[in-house]
Structures are given as structure tokens and as C-alpha cells.
Coordinates of all heavy atoms in Angstrom, one line a residue:
M1 N 0.8 -1.2 0.0 CA 0.0 0.0 0.0 C 0.9 1.2 0.0 O 1.9 1.3 0.7 CB -0.9 0.0 1.3 CG -2.0 1.0 1.2 SD -3.1 1.0 2.6 CE -3.5 -0.7 3.0
S2 N 0.6 2.2 -0.8 CA 1.4 3.4 -0.9 C 1.2 4.3 0.3 O 0.2 4.1 1.0 CB 1.1 4.2 -2.2 OG -0.2 4.8 -2.1
E3 N 2.1 5.2 0.5 CA 2.0 6.1 1.7 C 0.6 6.9 1.8 O 0.0 6.8 2.8 CB 3.1 7.1 1.7 CG 3.3 7.8 3.0 CD 3.6 6.9 4.2 OE1 4.2 5.9 4.0 OE2 3.2 7.3 5.3
P4 N 0.2 7.5 0.7 CA -1.1 8.2 0.8 C -2.3 7.2 1.1 O -3.2 7.5 1.8 CB -1.3 8.8 -0.6 CG 0.0 9.0 -1.1 CD 0.8 7.9 -0.6
D5 N -2.2 6.0 0.6 CA -3.2 5.0 0.8 C -3.3 4.7 2.3 O -4.3 4.6 2.9 CB -2.9 3.7 0.1 CG -3.1 3.8 -1.4 OD1 -3.7 4.8 -1.9 OD2 -2.7 2.9 -2.1
R6 N -2.1 4.5 2.9 CA -2.1 4.2 4.4 C -2.6 5.4 5.2 O -3.4 5.2 6.1 CB -0.6 3.9 4.8 CG -0.3 2.5 4.7 CD 1.0 2.2 5.4 NE 2.2 2.7 4.7 CZ 2.9 1.9 3.9 NH1 2.6 0.6 3.7 NH2 3.9 2.4 3.2
V7 N -2.2 6.6 4.8 CA -2.7 7.8 5.6 C -4.2 7.9 5.5 O -4.9 8.1 6.5 CB -2.0 9.0 5.1 CG1 -2.6 10.3 5.6 CG2 -0.5 9.0 5.4
F8 N -4.7 7.8 4.3 CA -6.2 8.0 4.1 C -7.0 6.9 4.6 O -8.1 7.1 5.1 CB -6.5 8.4 2.7 CG -5.9 9.8 2.4 CD1 -4.9 9.9 1.5 CD2 -6.3 10.9 3.0 CE1 -4.3 11.1 1.2 CE2 -5.8 12.1 2.8 CZ -4.7 12.2 1.9
K9 N -6.4 5.7 4.6 CA -7.1 4.5 5.3 C -7.2 4.8 6.8 O -8.2 4.6 7.4 CB -6.4 3.2 5.0 CG -7.1 2.0 5.7 CD -6.4 0.7 5.4 CE -7.2 -0.4 6.2 NZ -6.6 -1.7 5.9
A10 N -6.1 5.2 7.3 CA -6.1 5.5 8.8 C -7.1 6.6 9.1 O -7.7 6.6 10.2 CB -4.7 5.9 9.2
L11 N -7.2 7.6 8.3 CA -8.1 8.7 8.5 C -9.6 8.4 8.2 O -10.5 9.2 8.5 CB -7.7 9.9 7.7 CG -6.4 10.6 8.1 CD1 -6.0 11.6 7.0 CD2 -6.4 11.1 9.5
S12 N -9.9 7.2 7.7 CA -11.2 6.9 7.2 C -12.1 6.4 8.3 O -13.3 6.1 8.1 CB -11.2 5.9 6.1 OG -10.7 4.6 6.6
D13 N -11.6 6.2 9.5 CA -12.4 5.6 10.6 C -12.7 6.7 11.7 O -11.8 7.3 12.1 CB -11.7 4.4 11.2 CG -12.5 3.7 12.2 OD1 -12.6 4.2 13.4 OD2 -13.0 2.6 11.9
P14 N -14.0 6.8 12.1 CA -14.4 7.8 13.1 C -13.7 7.6 14.4 O -13.4 8.6 15.1 CB -15.9 7.7 13.2 CG -16.4 6.8 12.1 CD -15.2 6.1 11.5
V15 N -13.4 6.4 14.8 CA -12.7 6.1 16.1 C -11.3 6.7 16.0 O -10.8 7.3 16.9 CB -12.7 4.6 16.4 CG1 -11.7 4.3 17.6 CG2 -14.1 4.1 16.7
R16 N -10.6 6.5 14.8 CA -9.2 7.0 14.7 C -9.2 8.5 14.6 O -8.3 9.2 15.1 CB -8.5 6.3 13.5 CG -8.3 4.8 13.8 CD -7.4 4.2 12.7 NE -8.1 4.0 11.5 CZ -8.8 2.9 11.2 NH1 -9.0 2.0 12.0 NH2 -9.3 2.8 10.0
I17 N -10.2 9.1 14.0 CA -10.3 10.6 14.0 C -10.5 11.1 15.5 O -9.8 12.1 15.8 CB -11.5 11.0 13.2 CG1 -11.3 10.7 11.7 CG2 -11.8 12.5 13.3 CD1 -10.1 11.3 11.0
K18 N -11.3 10.4 16.3 CA -11.4 10.8 17.7 C -10.1 10.7 18.4 O -9.8 11.5 19.2 CB -12.5 10.0 18.3 CG -13.0 10.4 19.7 CD -14.2 9.7 20.1 CE -14.7 10.3 21.5 NZ -15.9 9.7 21.9
I19 N -9.4 9.6 18.1 CA -8.1 9.4 18.8 C -7.1 10.6 18.4 O -6.4 11.2 19.2 CB -7.4 8.1 18.4 CG1 -8.2 6.9 19.0 CG2 -6.0 8.0 18.8 CD1 -7.9 5.6 18.5
L20 N -7.1 10.9 17.1 CA -6.2 12.0 16.6 C -6.6 13.3 17.3 O -5.7 14.1 17.7 CB -6.3 12.1 15.1 CG -5.6 10.9 14.4 CD1 -5.9 11.1 12.9 CD2 -4.1 10.9 14.6
Q21 N -7.9 13.6 17.4 CA -8.3 14.8 18.0 C -7.9 14.9 19.5 O -7.5 15.9 20.0 CB -9.9 15.0 17.9 CG -10.3 15.3 16.5 CD -11.8 15.2 16.3 OE1 -12.5 14.4 17.0 NE2 -12.3 16.0 15.4
F22 N -8.0 13.7 20.2 CA -7.6 13.6 21.5 C -6.1 13.8 21.7 O -5.6 14.5 22.6 CB -8.0 12.3 22.1 CG -7.6 12.0 23.5 CD1 -8.2 12.8 24.5 CD2 -6.7 11.0 23.9 CE1 -7.8 12.6 25.9 CE2 -6.4 10.8 25.2 CZ -6.9 11.6 26.2
L23 N -5.3 13.2 20.8 CA -3.9 13.4 20.8 C -3.5 14.9 20.6 O -2.5 15.3 21.2 CB -3.2 12.5 19.8 CG -3.2 11.0 20.1 CD1 -2.6 10.2 18.9 CD2 -2.4 10.7 21.4
R24 N -4.2 15.5 19.8 CA -3.9 17.0 19.5 C -4.2 17.8 20.7 O -3.5 18.8 21.0 CB -4.8 17.4 18.3 CG -4.4 18.9 17.9 CD -5.2 19.3 16.6 NE -6.6 19.2 16.7 CZ -7.4 20.2 17.2 NH1 -6.8 21.3 17.7 NH2 -8.7 20.0 17.3
K25 N -5.3 17.4 21.5 CA -5.6 18.2 22.6 C -6.1 17.3 23.8 O -7.3 17.2 24.0 CB -6.7 19.2 22.2 CG -7.0 20.3 23.3 CD -8.0 21.3 22.7 CE -8.3 22.3 23.8 NZ -9.3 23.3 23.3
P26 N -5.2 16.7 24.5 CA -5.6 15.8 25.5 C -6.1 16.5 26.8 O -5.3 17.3 27.3 CB -4.3 15.0 25.8 CG -3.2 15.8 25.4 CD -3.7 16.7 24.3
E27 N -7.3 16.3 27.1 CA -7.9 16.9 28.3 C -8.4 15.8 29.2 O -9.0 14.8 28.8 CB -9.0 17.9 27.9 CG -8.5 19.1 27.1 CD -9.6 20.0 26.7 OE1 -10.8 19.7 26.9 OE2 -9.2 21.1 26.2
G28 N -8.3 16.1 30.5 CA -8.8 15.1 31.5 C -8.1 13.8 31.5 O -8.8 12.7 31.6
V29 N -6.8 13.8 31.3 CA -6.1 12.5 31.3 C -5.3 12.3 32.6 O -4.9 13.3 33.2 CB -5.2 12.4 30.0 CG1 -6.0 12.5 28.8 CG2 -4.2 13.6 30.0
C30 N -5.0 11.1 32.9 CA -4.3 10.8 34.1 C -2.8 10.7 33.8 O -2.0 11.0 34.7 CB -4.8 9.5 34.8 SG -4.4 8.0 33.9
C31 N -2.4 10.3 32.7 CA -0.9 10.1 32.4 C -0.2 11.0 31.4 O 0.9 10.8 31.1 CB -0.8 8.6 32.0 SG -1.4 7.4 33.1
A32 N -1.0 11.9 30.8 CA -0.4 12.7 29.7 C 0.8 13.6 30.3 O 0.7 14.1 31.4 CB -1.4 13.6 29.1
Q33 N 1.8 13.7 29.5 CA 3.0 14.5 29.8 C 3.4 15.2 28.5 O 3.4 14.6 27.5 CB 4.2 13.7 30.3 CG 3.9 12.5 31.2 CD 5.1 11.6 31.2 OE1 6.0 11.7 30.4 NE2 5.0 10.6 32.0
A34 N 3.7 16.5 28.6 CA 4.3 17.3 27.6 C 4.1 16.7 26.2 O 5.1 16.2 25.5 CB 5.8 17.5 27.9
G35 N 2.9 16.7 25.6 CA 2.7 16.3 24.3 C 2.6 14.8 24.0 O 2.5 14.4 22.8
V36 N 2.6 14.0 25.0 CA 2.4 12.6 24.8 C 1.2 12.1 25.6 O 0.9 12.6 26.6 CB 3.7 11.8 25.1 CG1 4.8 12.2 24.2 CG2 4.0 11.9 26.6
V37 N 0.6 11.0 25.1 CA -0.6 10.4 25.8 C -0.3 8.9 26.0 O 0.1 8.2 25.1 CB -1.9 10.7 25.0 CG1 -3.0 10.0 25.6 CG2 -2.1 12.2 24.8
C38 N -0.7 8.4 27.2 CA -0.6 7.0 27.5 C -1.7 6.3 26.9 O -2.9 6.8 26.8 CB -0.6 6.8 29.0 SG -0.4 5.1 29.5
A39 N -1.5 5.0 26.5 CA -2.5 4.2 25.9 C -3.7 4.1 26.8 O -4.9 4.0 26.4 CB -2.0 2.8 25.5
C40 N -3.5 4.0 28.1 CA -4.6 3.9 29.1 C -5.6 5.0 29.0 O -6.8 4.8 29.2 CB -4.1 3.7 30.5 SG -3.3 5.1 31.2
D41 N -5.1 6.2 28.7 CA -6.0 7.4 28.6 C -6.8 7.3 27.3 O -8.0 7.7 27.3 CB -5.2 8.7 28.5 CG -4.6 9.0 29.9 OD1 -5.2 8.8 30.9 OD2 -3.4 9.5 29.9
I42 N -6.3 6.7 26.3 CA -7.0 6.5 25.0 C -8.1 5.4 25.3 O -9.3 5.6 24.8 CB -6.1 6.1 23.9 CG1 -5.1 7.2 23.6 CG2 -6.9 5.8 22.6 CD1 -4.0 6.9 22.7
E43 N -7.8 4.4 26.0 CA -8.7 3.3 26.3 C -9.9 3.9 27.1 O -11.1 3.7 26.9 CB -8.1 2.2 27.1 CG -7.1 1.4 26.3 CD -6.3 0.5 27.1 OE1 -6.7 0.0 28.2 OE2 -5.1 0.2 26.7
S44 N -9.6 4.8 28.1 CA -10.6 5.4 28.9 C -11.5 6.3 28.1 O -12.7 6.3 28.3 CB -10.0 6.2 30.1 OG -9.3 5.3 30.9
L45 N -10.9 7.1 27.3 CA -11.6 8.0 26.4 C -12.7 7.3 25.6 O -13.8 7.7 25.5 CB -10.7 8.8 25.5 CG -11.3 9.6 24.4 CD1 -11.9 10.9 24.9 CD2 -10.4 9.9 23.3
L46 N -12.2 6.2 24.9 CA -13.1 5.5 24.0 C -14.0 4.5 24.6 O -14.9 4.0 24.0 CB -12.2 4.9 22.9 CG -11.3 5.8 22.1 CD1 -10.4 5.0 21.2 CD2 -12.2 6.7 21.3
G47 N -13.6 4.0 25.8 CA -14.3 2.9 26.4 C -14.2 1.6 25.6 O -15.1 0.8 25.6
L48 N -13.1 1.4 25.0 CA -12.8 0.2 24.2 C -11.8 -0.6 24.9 O -11.0 -0.2 25.7 CB -12.3 0.6 22.8 CG -13.3 1.4 21.9 CD1 -12.6 1.9 20.6 CD2 -14.5 0.6 21.6
S49 N -11.7 -1.9 24.5 CA -10.7 -2.8 25.0 C -9.3 -2.4 24.6 O -9.1 -1.7 23.6 CB -11.0 -4.2 24.6 OG -10.7 -4.4 23.2
Q50 N -8.3 -2.9 25.3 CA -6.9 -2.6 25.0 C -6.6 -3.1 23.6 O -5.9 -2.5 22.9 CB -6.0 -3.2 26.1 CG -4.5 -3.0 25.9 CD -3.9 -4.0 25.0 OE1 -4.3 -5.2 25.0 NE2 -2.9 -3.6 24.2
A51 N -7.1 -4.3 23.3 CA -6.8 -4.9 22.0 C -7.4 -4.1 20.8 O -6.7 -3.9 19.8 CB -7.4 -6.3 21.9
T52 N -8.6 -3.5 21.0 CA -9.2 -2.7 20.0 C -8.4 -1.4 19.8 O -8.1 -0.9 18.7 CB -10.7 -2.4 20.3 OG1 -11.3 -3.7 20.4 CG2 -11.3 -1.6 19.2
V53 N -8.0 -0.8 20.9 CA -7.2 0.5 20.9 C -5.9 0.2 20.2 O -5.4 1.0 19.4 CB -7.1 1.1 22.3 CG1 -6.0 2.2 22.3 CG2 -8.4 1.6 22.8
S54 N -5.3 -0.9 20.5 CA -4.0 -1.3 19.9 C -4.1 -1.4 18.4 O -3.2 -1.0 17.7 CB -3.4 -2.6 20.5 OG -3.0 -2.4 21.8
H55 N -5.2 -2.0 18.0 CA -5.4 -2.2 16.5 C -5.5 -0.8 15.9 O -4.8 -0.6 14.8 CB -6.7 -2.9 16.3 CG -7.2 -2.8 14.9 ND1 -6.6 -3.5 13.8 CD2 -8.2 -2.1 14.3 CE1 -7.3 -3.2 12.7 NE2 -8.2 -2.3 13.0
H56 N -6.3 0.1 16.4 CA -6.4 1.4 15.8 C -5.1 2.2 15.9 O -4.7 2.9 14.9 CB -7.5 2.3 16.6 CG -8.9 1.8 16.2 ND1 -9.4 1.9 15.0 CD2 -9.8 1.2 17.0 CE1 -10.7 1.4 15.0 NE2 -10.9 1.0 16.2
M57 N -4.4 2.1 17.0 CA -3.1 2.8 17.1 C -2.0 2.2 16.1 O -1.3 3.0 15.6 CB -2.6 2.7 18.6 CG -3.5 3.4 19.6 SD -4.0 5.1 19.1 CE -2.4 5.9 19.0
K58 N -2.1 0.9 15.9 CA -1.1 0.3 14.9 C -1.4 0.9 13.5 O -0.4 1.3 12.8 CB -1.3 -1.2 14.9 CG -0.4 -1.9 13.9 CD -0.5 -3.3 13.9 CE 0.4 -4.1 13.0 NZ 1.2 -3.4 12.0
L59 N -2.6 1.1 13.1 CA -2.9 1.7 11.8 C -2.4 3.1 11.8 O -1.9 3.6 10.8 CB -4.4 1.6 11.5 CG -4.9 0.2 11.2 CD1 -6.4 0.2 11.1 CD2 -4.3 -0.4 10.0
L60 N -2.6 3.9 12.8 CA -2.2 5.3 12.9 C -0.6 5.4 12.9 O -0.1 6.2 12.2 CB -2.7 6.0 14.1 CG -4.2 6.2 14.1 CD1 -4.7 6.7 15.4 CD2 -4.6 7.3 13.0
V61 N 0.0 4.5 13.6 CA 1.5 4.5 13.6 C 2.0 4.0 12.3 O 3.0 4.6 11.7 CB 2.0 3.6 14.8 CG1 3.5 3.3 14.6 CG2 1.7 4.2 16.1
D62 N 1.5 2.9 11.7 CA 1.9 2.5 10.4 C 1.7 3.5 9.3 O 2.5 3.6 8.3 CB 1.2 1.2 10.0 CG 1.6 0.0 10.8 OD1 2.6 0.1 11.5 OD2 0.9 -1.1 10.7
A63 N 0.7 4.3 9.4 CA 0.5 5.4 8.5 C 1.5 6.6 8.7 O 1.6 7.5 7.8 CB -0.9 5.9 8.5
G64 N 2.2 6.6 9.8 CA 3.1 7.6 10.1 C 2.5 8.9 10.8 O 3.2 9.8 11.0
L65 N 1.2 8.8 11.1 CA 0.5 9.9 11.7 C 0.8 10.1 13.2 O 0.7 11.2 13.7 CB -1.0 9.8 11.4 CG -1.4 9.8 10.0 CD1 -2.9 9.5 9.9 CD2 -1.1 11.2 9.3
V66 N 1.2 9.0 13.8 CA 1.4 9.0 15.2 C 2.7 8.2 15.5 O 3.0 7.3 14.8 CB 0.2 8.2 16.0 CG1 0.5 8.0 17.4 CG2 -1.1 9.0 15.8
R67 N 3.4 8.7 16.5 CA 4.7 8.0 16.9 C 4.4 7.3 18.2 O 3.6 7.8 19.1 CB 5.8 9.0 17.2 CG 6.4 9.5 15.8 CD 7.5 10.4 16.1 NE 6.9 11.8 15.9 CZ 7.5 12.9 16.3 NH1 8.5 12.9 17.1 NH2 6.9 14.0 16.1
A68 N 4.9 6.1 18.4 CA 4.7 5.3 19.6 C 6.0 5.0 20.2 O 7.0 4.8 19.5 CB 4.0 4.0 19.2
Q69 N 6.0 5.0 21.6 CA 7.2 4.7 22.3 C 6.8 3.9 23.5 O 5.8 4.2 24.2 CB 8.0 5.9 22.7 CG 9.3 5.7 23.3 CD 10.1 7.0 23.5 OE1 9.5 8.1 23.3 NE2 11.3 6.9 23.9
K70 N 7.6 2.8 23.8 CA 7.3 2.0 25.0 C 8.0 2.6 26.2 O 9.2 2.9 26.1 CB 7.7 0.6 24.8 CG 7.2 -0.3 25.9 CD 7.2 -1.8 25.4 CE 6.8 -2.7 26.4 NZ 5.4 -3.0 26.4
H71 N 7.3 2.8 27.3 CA 7.9 3.3 28.6 C 7.5 2.2 29.6 O 6.3 2.1 30.0 CB 7.4 4.6 29.0 CG 8.1 5.8 28.4 ND1 9.3 6.2 28.8 CD2 7.8 6.5 27.3 CE1 9.8 7.2 28.1 NE2 8.9 7.4 27.1
S72 N 8.5 1.5 30.1 CA 8.2 0.4 31.0 C 7.2 -0.5 30.4 O 7.4 -1.1 29.3 CB 7.7 1.0 32.3 OG 7.4 0.0 33.3
R73 N 6.0 -0.7 31.0 CA 5.0 -1.6 30.4 C 3.9 -0.8 29.7 O 2.9 -1.3 29.3 CB 4.4 -2.5 31.4 CG 4.2 -1.9 32.8 CD 3.6 -2.9 33.8 NE 2.2 -3.0 33.5 CZ 1.3 -3.1 34.5 NH1 1.6 -3.1 35.7 NH2 0.0 -3.3 34.2
W74 N 4.1 0.5 29.5 CA 3.1 1.4 28.9 C 3.5 1.9 27.6 O 4.7 2.1 27.3 CB 2.7 2.6 29.8 CG 2.3 2.2 31.2 CD1 3.0 2.3 32.3 CD2 1.1 1.6 31.5 NE1 2.3 1.8 33.4 CE2 1.1 1.3 32.9 CE3 -0.1 1.2 30.8 CZ2 0.1 0.7 33.6 CZ3 -1.1 0.6 31.5 CH2 -1.0 0.4 32.9
M75 N 2.6 2.1 26.7 CA 2.8 2.7 25.4 C 2.4 4.1 25.5 O 1.3 4.4 26.0 CB 2.1 2.0 24.3 CG 2.6 0.6 23.9 SD 4.3 0.6 23.3 CE 4.1 1.5 21.7
I76 N 3.2 5.0 25.0 CA 2.8 6.4 24.9 C 2.8 6.8 23.4 O 3.6 6.3 22.6 CB 3.7 7.4 25.7 CG1 5.1 7.3 25.3 CG2 3.6 7.1 27.2 CD1 6.0 8.4 25.8
Y77 N 1.9 7.8 23.1 CA 1.7 8.2 21.7 C 1.8 9.7 21.6 O 1.4 10.4 22.5 CB 0.4 7.7 21.2 CG 0.2 6.2 21.2 CD1 -0.4 5.5 22.3 CD2 0.8 5.4 20.2 CE1 -0.5 4.1 22.3 CE2 0.6 4.0 20.2 CZ 0.0 3.4 21.3 OH -0.1 2.0 21.3
Q78 N 2.2 10.1 20.4 CA 2.1 11.6 20.1 C 1.9 11.7 18.6 O 2.3 10.9 17.8 CB 3.3 12.3 20.6 CG 4.6 12.0 19.9 CD 5.8 12.8 20.5 OE1 6.6 12.1 21.2 NE2 5.9 14.1 20.4
L79 N 1.3 12.8 18.2 CA 1.1 13.1 16.8 C 2.5 13.4 16.1 O 3.4 13.9 16.7 CB 0.2 14.3 16.6 CG -1.2 14.2 17.1 CD1 -2.0 15.5 16.9 CD2 -1.9 13.1 16.3
D80 N 2.5 13.1 14.8 CA 3.7 13.4 14.0 C 3.2 14.5 13.1 O 2.6 14.3 12.0 CB 4.2 12.2 13.3 CG 5.5 12.5 12.5 OD1 5.7 13.7 12.2 OD2 6.2 11.6 12.3
A81 N 3.5 15.8 13.5 CA 3.0 16.9 12.7 C 3.5 16.9 11.2 O 2.8 17.3 10.3 CB 3.4 18.2 13.4
E82 N 4.7 16.4 11.1 CA 5.3 16.4 9.7 C 4.5 15.5 8.8 O 4.3 15.8 7.6 CB 6.7 15.9 9.8 CG 7.5 16.0 8.4 CD 8.9 15.6 8.5 OE1 9.5 15.8 9.6 OE2 9.4 15.1 7.5
A83 N 3.9 14.4 9.3 CA 3.1 13.5 8.5 C 1.9 14.2 8.0 O 1.4 14.0 6.9 CB 2.8 12.3 9.3
F84 N 1.3 15.0 8.9 CA 0.1 15.8 8.5 C 0.4 16.9 7.4 O -0.3 17.1 6.5 CB -0.6 16.4 9.7 CG -1.3 15.4 10.5 CD1 -0.7 14.7 11.6 CD2 -2.6 15.0 10.3 CE1 -1.3 13.8 12.3 CE2 -3.3 14.1 11.0 CZ -2.6 13.4 12.0
S85 N 1.6 17.5 7.6 CA 2.0 18.4 6.6 C 2.2 17.8 5.2 O 1.9 18.3 4.2 CB 3.3 19.1 7.0 OG 3.1 19.9 8.1
D86 N 2.8 16.6 5.3 CA 3.0 15.8 4.0 C 1.7 15.5 3.4 O 1.5 15.6 2.1 CB 3.8 14.5 4.3 CG 5.2 14.8 4.7 OD1 5.7 15.9 4.5 OD2 5.9 13.8 5.2
A87 N 0.7 15.1 4.2 CA -0.6 14.7 3.6 C -1.3 16.0 3.0 O -1.9 15.9 1.9 CB -1.5 14.1 4.7
M88 N -1.1 17.1 3.7 CA -1.7 18.3 3.1 C -1.0 18.7 1.8 O -1.7 19.2 0.9 CB -1.6 19.5 4.1 CG -2.6 19.3 5.3 SD -2.4 20.4 6.7 CE -2.0 21.9 6.0
A89 N 0.3 18.5 1.7 CA 1.0 18.8 0.5 C 0.6 17.9 -0.6 O 0.5 18.3 -1.8 CB 2.5 18.7 0.8
W90 N 0.3 16.7 -0.3 CA -0.1 15.7 -1.3 C -1.5 16.1 -1.8 O -1.8 16.0 -3.0 CB -0.2 14.3 -0.7 CG -0.4 13.2 -1.7 CD1 0.5 12.6 -2.5 CD2 -1.7 12.7 -2.1 NE1 -0.2 11.7 -3.3 CE2 -1.5 11.8 -3.1 CE3 -3.0 13.0 -1.7 CZ2 -2.5 11.0 -3.7 CZ3 -4.1 12.3 -2.3 CH2 -3.8 11.3 -3.3
L91 N -2.4 16.6 -1.0 CA -3.7 17.0 -1.3 C -3.8 18.4 -2.1 O -4.7 18.7 -2.8 CB -4.6 17.1 -0.1 CG -5.1 15.8 0.5 CD1 -5.8 16.0 1.8 CD2 -6.0 15.1 -0.5
A92 N -2.8 19.2 -1.8 CA -2.8 20.6 -2.4 C -3.1 20.7 -3.9 O -3.9 21.5 -4.3 CB -1.5 21.3 -2.0
P93 N -2.5 19.9 -4.7 CA -2.7 20.0 -6.1 C -4.2 19.8 -6.5 O -4.7 20.3 -7.5 CB -1.8 18.9 -6.8 CG -0.8 18.7 -5.8 CD -1.4 18.9 -4.4
F94 N -4.9 19.0 -5.7 CA -6.3 18.7 -6.0 C -7.2 20.0 -5.7 O -8.2 20.2 -6.3 CB -6.8 17.5 -5.2 CG -6.2 16.2 -5.5 CD1 -5.1 15.8 -4.8 CD2 -6.7 15.5 -6.6 CE1 -4.5 14.6 -5.2 CE2 -6.1 14.3 -7.0 CZ -5.0 13.8 -6.3
A95 N -6.7 20.8 -4.7 CA -7.5 22.0 -4.4 C -7.3 23.0 -5.5 O -8.1 24.0 -5.7 CB -7.0 22.6 -3.1
R96 N -6.2 22.9 -6.3 CA -5.9 23.9 -7.4 C -6.3 23.3 -8.7 O -5.9 23.9 -9.7 CB -4.4 24.2 -7.3 CG -4.0 25.0 -6.1 CD -2.6 25.5 -6.1 NE -1.6 24.4 -6.3 CZ -1.0 23.8 -5.3 NH1 -1.3 24.2 -4.1 NH2 -0.1 22.9 -5.5
A97 N -7.0 22.2 -8.8 CA -7.3 21.6 -10.1 C -8.2 22.6 -10.9 O -9.0 23.3 -10.4 CB -8.1 20.3 -9.8
P98 N -7.9 22.6 -12.2 CA -8.7 23.5 -13.0 C -10.2 23.1 -13.0 O -10.6 22.0 -13.0 CB -8.1 23.3 -14.4 CG -7.4 22.0 -14.4 CD -7.0 21.8 -12.9
K99 N -11.0 24.2 -13.1 CA -12.5 23.9 -13.1 C -12.9 23.6 -14.5 O -12.4 24.2 -15.5 CB -13.2 25.2 -12.6 CG -12.9 25.5 -11.2 CD -13.8 26.6 -10.7 CE -13.3 26.9 -9.3 NZ -14.3 27.2 -8.4
V100 N -13.7 22.6 -14.6 CA -14.2 22.1 -15.9 C -15.6 22.7 -16.1 O -16.5 22.6 -15.2 CB -14.3 20.6 -15.9 CG1 -14.9 20.1 -17.2 CG2 -12.9 19.9 -15.6
K101 N -15.7 23.3 -17.3 CA -17.0 23.9 -17.6 C -18.0 22.8 -18.1 O -17.6 22.0 -18.9 CB -16.9 25.0 -18.7 CG -16.2 26.2 -18.2 CD -16.1 27.2 -19.3 CE -15.4 28.4 -18.9 NZ -15.3 29.5 -20.0
Q102 N -19.1 22.8 -17.5 CA -20.1 21.7 -17.9 C -21.1 22.4 -18.8 O -21.6 23.5 -18.6 CB -20.8 21.2 -16.7 CG -19.9 20.4 -15.8 CD -20.7 19.8 -14.6 OE1 -21.8 20.2 -14.3 NE2 -20.0 18.9 -13.9
K103 N -21.4 21.6 -19.9 CA -22.5 22.1 -20.8 C -23.8 21.8 -20.3 O -24.1 20.7 -19.7 CB -22.3 21.4 -22.2 CG -21.1 21.9 -22.9 CD -21.0 21.3 -24.3 CE -19.8 21.7 -25.0 NZ -19.7 21.2 -26.4
V104 N -24.7 22.8 -20.3 CA -26.1 22.6 -19.8 C -26.9 22.0 -21.0 O -26.9 22.5 -22.1 CB -26.7 23.9 -19.4 CG1 -28.1 23.7 -18.9 CG2 -25.8 24.5 -18.3
P105 N -27.5 20.8 -20.8 CA -28.3 20.2 -21.9 C -29.5 21.1 -22.3 O -30.1 21.8 -21.5 CB -28.8 18.9 -21.3 CG -28.4 18.9 -19.8 CD -27.6 20.1 -19.5
A106 N -29.7 21.1 -23.6 CA -30.8 22.0 -24.1 C -32.2 21.4 -23.8 O -32.5 20.4 -23.5 CB -30.6 22.2 -25.6

């Protein structure tokens, strides 16, 4: 799967969008530190099992949108802003696509 394919597949699920929004602005968390969020906080936010959260986080990490790091027995996550910039740069030419005039049927 190409890089844009992985990114847009990761962005296609409402649960993963919620995770990304939470990582961007973690509020009411027990373990967050300076721009990183613990997996336990994501599980609490979503009310999902650890296995389900791990599945979603793996897709986000594989797409390059999120960085993961193991601390002791916990996983911590943070957004990778550069990956979002790359996705926006990939989409930019589509926003500048020439407009096609459509003929109105008689």
C-alpha cells in the first residue's frame, strides 16, 4: 500500500479521528505529559478494550501519523505533525485543479 493509501485509510475511521483529536488536545487525562498520551488514557476516552485500541493505534502508527514509544509496560503516543504536513502537501494540487465547464443540456 502506498503512503497516501495508508494515511487516508487511517483517517477513514471515526474512532481513529477521535483518537487524533484527543492526541492533539488531551484533556482530562491521568498520564499525559508534555505532548504525549498514554494508551490507558485513550482506552478510557473511547471505552474500548486494550486490543481494539492497539489495533487502531497500529494503523495510525503504520501510516506515520502517530509516533509510539514504550515506557516500562506502557505505550505512549504523540502526533507526528510532519506527516500531516506531508498529507496536506499531497492534497494541495487537488485544491488547485482547473475547473471544468459543464455544458447545460438543451
